[in-house]
């Protein structure tokens, strides 16, 4: 890979009560058609999956970093998110000069120049691409978890604190994918 490439980094899954947090690192490269790329939350589910396939097929590189529920409980969600980002960047296995641009206020500790950009997922195509990859890959993981734990209906709410999810926790208790350090779950455990 040639120098002066931008690597966008973003996460998905900070807010849920269950499941891992995912981070993606994406290098689109100068030939990539960035039309349609934007913050994954502003795209329909079908558009997200369509763009994710385009990114996977045509980007110079893309990787995922993950922190599971136990790591989130151990570290806290902020540190776990930074660790997932660090894992995604390391997985690129790049030894040339690249510039990392991260959505948000904080950068993970990495050996590259790194710049945090607030609302970067709507401003920088590489971060938008990372947002799309992180979100779609995490959603696919939650659908997989749903197959092992169908009672929780994870494929519907993806672990987010919806009314349905809270009702399922009250009915069935917790599973290994729940984040026991998160307030709503801590409050339920205290009852």
């Amino acid at each position: 890979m040639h120098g002066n490439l931008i690597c966008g980094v973003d996460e998905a899954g900070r807010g849920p009560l269950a499941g891992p947090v995912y981070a993606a690192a994406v290098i689109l490269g100068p030939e990539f058609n960035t039309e349609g790329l934007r913050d994954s939350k502003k795209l329909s589910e079908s558009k997200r999956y369509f763009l994710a396939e385009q990114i996977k097929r045509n980007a110079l590189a893309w990787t995922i970093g993950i922190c599971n529920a136990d790591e989130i409980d151990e570290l806290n969600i902020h540190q776990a998110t930074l660790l997932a980002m660090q894992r995604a960047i390391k997985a690129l296995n790049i030894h040339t000069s690249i510039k990392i641009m991260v959505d948000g206020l904080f950068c993970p500790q990495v050996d590259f120049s790194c710049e945090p950009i607030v609302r970067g997922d709507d401003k920088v195509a590489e971060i938008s691409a990372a947002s799309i990859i992180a979100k779609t890959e995490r959603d696919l993981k939650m659908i997989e978890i749903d197959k092992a734990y169908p009672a929780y209906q994870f494929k519907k709410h993806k672990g987010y604190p919806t009314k349905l999810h809270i009702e399922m926790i009250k009915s069935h208790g917790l599973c290994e994918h729940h984040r026991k350090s998160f307030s709503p779950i801590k409050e339920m455990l205290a009852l």
Side-chain angles (χ1 to χ4, degrees):
M1 287 197 209
H2 28 167
N4 302 328
L5 288 172
I6 292 171
C7 172
V9 178
D10 201 3
E11 54 69 31
R14 277 181 75 106
L17 302 178
V21 63
Y22 268 53
V26 179
I27 300 172
L28 294 176
E31 310 298 310
F32 192 93
N33 178 358
T34 58
E35 197 177 319
L37 292 183
R38 53 195 313 216
D39 173 3
S40 66
K41 291 182 283 302
K42 296 180 179 176
L43 297 167
S44 68
E45 185 177 37
S46 60
K47 184 77 172 165
R48 265 197 307 270
Y49 281 110
F50 171 78
L51 288 169
E53 283 311 307
Q54 298 297 312
I55 294 161
K56 288 177 188 178
R57 199 174 302 126
N58 301 310
L60 287 180
W62 68 273
T63 55
I64 291 289
I66 302 166
C67 268
N68 65 31
D70 288 342
E71 290 176 302
I72 293 166
D73 286 338
E74 191 183 317
L75 297 169
N76 76 41
I77 188 60
H78 174 68
Q79 293 303 324
T81 300
L82 291 175
L83 180 57
M85 288 178 172
Q86 187 183 60
R87 287 173 175 168
I89 294 163
K90 279 188 175 164
L92 287 169
N93 204 13
I94 289 180
H95 305 287
T96 58
S97 163
I98 58 169
K99 176 161 179 126
I100 310 282
M101 295 179 133
V102 180
D103 182 51
L105 295 166
F106 304 96
C107 284
Q109 273 195 301
V110 288
D111 297 332
F112 300 101
S113 162
C114 195
E115 180 185 350
I117 299 174
V118 175
R119 287 192 285 285
D121 48 8
D122 245 355
K123 296 175 184 169
V124 178
E126 287 82 358
I127 298 176
S128 301
S131 164
I132 291 164
I133 293 290
K135 172 76 174 134
T136 53
E137 292 295 306
R138 185 184 184 278
D139 283 359
L140 290 169
K141 180 63 178 177
M142 293 309 294
I143 291 165
E144 193 182 299
I145 290 171
D146 178 79
K147 287 177 185 143
Y149 296 93
Y152 295 98
Q153 301 185 41
F154 286 125
K155 69 175 176 242
K156 285 190 181 168
H157 52 71
K158 311 294 190 291
Y160 283 87
T162 62
K163 191 174 174 212
L164 172 67
H165 189 190
I166 303 285
E167 284 169 13
M168 296 299 102
I169 294 170
K170 285 177 180 166
S171 298
H172 306 289
L174 301 175
C175 77
E176 65 177 305
H177 297 286
H178 282 102
R179 302 172 181 180
K180 293 157 192 71
S181 62
F182 275 45
S183 295
I185 291 179
K186 275 199 330 210
E187 287 160 19
M188 282 185 238
L189 289 171
L191 295 175

